[in-house]
Structure formats: C-alpha cells, structure tokens
Amino acid sequence: MGHESGPERRPTTEDVWRAIERASFAVLSHLTPEGEPRSSGVVYVATGGRMYVAVAPDAWKARHLAADGRLAVTVPVRRGGLLSLLFPIPPATVSFHATAVVHPAGELPDEPKQLASLVPAERRAECRLIEIVPVGQFLTYGIGVSLNDLRSPALARARVPVEALHAAS
C-alpha cells in the first residue's frame, strides 16, 4: 500500500480497494424509512468493486436498505502489526457513500466464490444478501502513509475517486 510518505505519495483507488478487500468488518450507516439514523457493524467480503453482507431475511438492515438503498460505510483498517500491541495505534479508515441492492432470500449468486465463506451452506436458502457499491469518493485516513504520518491529518487524509475502480471492474 505504498512505501513512500508525505504529500508526494497519495493512495490510489487500487490501494484503497486492496485495504477494503483485506479487511472484513465495516460499519453501515443509513436512515430508517421514518428518518431515524441507524448504524450497524457487519462482516463482509469484497471483490470486483463491491462489498457483500449476508443478513437474516427479516433483519432491519435488509428492510431499511431495501426501502432507500443509500448508505454510508466506514471500514476500519488495522495498522501497526506487532507495534499496535504495544502502543495505541488507531486503525486507518476508509469511508464512502454507497448504494445497496438487497437480494431476495435464497438468491445468492454463484460468483463471487468468496460468498461461500460469508454464508454457511445451511443458511444460504434463508439469508438475504446486501450488495454494496461505492459511489463518489473514498475518504481515507492513514491509507498508503507511514505510521509516523498518521500524526498529521494533512498527510494522513486523502480523497480518492471511486470511478476508476468501477472502470477497472
């Protein structure tokens, strides 16, 4: 994800997507049909410019996202390796707006193969799949910069276009 630091090295769309693919936990934020804010932590798989989350068929996430399809996503990206066990190093983050498609219960696509790890075989017929597509820009903090540069918001923050990701997919 980049060995250079400072303003000369900015993360690319590919750097950001690699970070998303390596992580597996995200926070989804959206509004209920009544306009109330909600957020929820989810386990996901990411591939091909999309994230996938499996939920129970009656889960409020599926109901609310099916009604509007708009959400915000934040992915914490662990940094620091062994050093993070000794010092309080906050995770890097990737945040973005997205659209969501909630697939009907039992309709899991054969591809991508990573979905098999997300949904146990005995639950596939009953769960709903939420397909999340990033839009606009990724807002990053700490992606593609050194741990030392995390102390400087000007160096650690970046805006990275999502469009290049969809063009490459």
Side-chain angles (χ1 to χ4, degrees):
M1 276 205 304
H3 303 292
E4 303 167 34
S5 66
E8 299 300 316
R9 169 66 170 114
R10 304 309 293 166
T12 65
T13 301
E14 292 75 22
D15 291 334
V16 174
W17 194 251
R18 240 184 331 272
I20 291 170
E21 286 179 335
R22 288 181 182 147
S24 61
F25 176 81
V27 177
L28 307 182
S29 300
H30 61 91
L31 296 176
T32 68
E34 295 79 31
E36 295 292 323
R38 292 286 183 269
S39 65
S40 179
V42 296
V43 174
Y44 70 87
V45 295
T47 186
R50 288 165 165 63
M51 297 170 71
Y52 299 90
V53 176
V55 298
D58 60 346
W60 59 263
K61 286 180 281 253
R63 290 192 317 266
H64 294 172
L65 289 173
D68 181 38
R70 297 181 318 150
L71 68 156
V73 179
T74 298
V75 177
V77 178
R78 189 169 172 199
R79 296 275 322 247
L82 292 175
L83 196 57
S84 67
L85 299 174
L86 302 172
F87 300 102
I89 298 172
T93 57
V94 177
S95 297
F96 55 92
H97 291 146
T99 59
V101 175
V102 181
H103 295 279
E107 287 191 17
L108 296 181
D110 293 331
E111 298 289 334
K113 297 293 185 207
Q114 292 90 328
L115 292 179
S117 67
L118 186 63
V119 184
E122 64 274 8
R123 287 192 46 227
R124 288 192 187 130
E126 66 188 43
C127 77
R128 295 182 78 180
L129 187 70
I130 301 172
E131 183 176 350
I132 300 168
V133 181
V135 297
Q137 295 183 323
F138 293 115
L139 304 175
T140 69
Y141 194 92
I143 301 295
V145 300
S146 71
L147 288 177
N148 193 46
D149 286 347
L150 284 176
R151 299 184 312 181
S152 169
L155 297 176
R157 282 191 296 231
R159 291 180 180 268
V160 180
V162 169
E163 289 78 22
L165 173 69
H166 295 304
S169 296

